[in-house]
């Protein structure tokens, strides 16, 4: 990741074709050792390719990856009236927690 980050920093700075030496300077400037094999492998993979096109391609691939949390409340419960009761209990617990948290500190945050 550090090699591609250094490569992209150099591209943004105006270096249209960052070399291994350029990337090495950037990485070593922050005290990190360079693995020449990994760096050369990256440069071989990027040789002759448009970085913006690669980023766009990667972004479209990431759009299809599930990121979790998207299926909240998707399936109806079989219990019928159990959901409203659970919601009411949750609200009561939240009120109790708020009251308890003020008591524990001995003062209100905005007093």
């Amino acid at each position: 990741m550090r090699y591609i980050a250094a490569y992209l920093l150099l591209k943004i700075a105006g270096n249209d074709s960052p070399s291994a030496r350029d990337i090495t300077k950037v990485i070593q400037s922050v005290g990190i050792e360079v693995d020449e094999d990994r760096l050369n492998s990256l440069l071989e993979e990027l040789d002759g390719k448009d970085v913006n096109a690669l980023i766009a391609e990667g972004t479209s691939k990431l759009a299809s990856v599930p990121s979790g949390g998207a299926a909240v409340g998707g399936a109806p419960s079989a219990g019928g009236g159990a959901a409203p009761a659970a919601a009411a209990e949750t609200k009561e617990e939240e009120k109790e927690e708020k009251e308890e948290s003020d008591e524990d500190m001995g003062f209100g945050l905005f007093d």
Side-chain angles (χ1 to χ4, degrees), residues 33-51:
E33 291 183 29
V34 175
D35 181 354
E36 296 293 331
D37 294 333
R38 294 184 90 184
L39 177 57
N40 291 329
S41 174
L42 172 73
L43 291 175
E44 288 173 9
E45 290 290 326
L46 293 175
D47 189 35
K49 296 180 182 173
D50 179 28
V51 174

Side-chain angles (χ1 to χ4, degrees), residues 17-28:
S17 182
S19 66
R21 184 176 180 189
D22 297 332
I23 295 170
T24 300
K25 280 183 183 179
V26 170
I27 293 173
Q28 288 179 341

Side-chain angles (χ1 to χ4, degrees), residues 47-101:
D47 189 35
K49 296 180 182 173
D50 179 28
V51 174
N52 293 323
L54 292 174
I55 291 172
E57 182 182 335
T59 302
S60 67
K61 287 181 181 179
L62 285 175
S64 66
V65 174
S67 60
V72 175
S77 66
E89 289 178 20
T90 304
K91 288 182 182 178
E92 289 178 24
E93 290 175 9
E94 288 177 6
K95 283 184 182 179
E96 290 176 13
E97 288 178 17
K98 286 182 182 178
E99 291 173 6
E100 290 174 7
S101 67

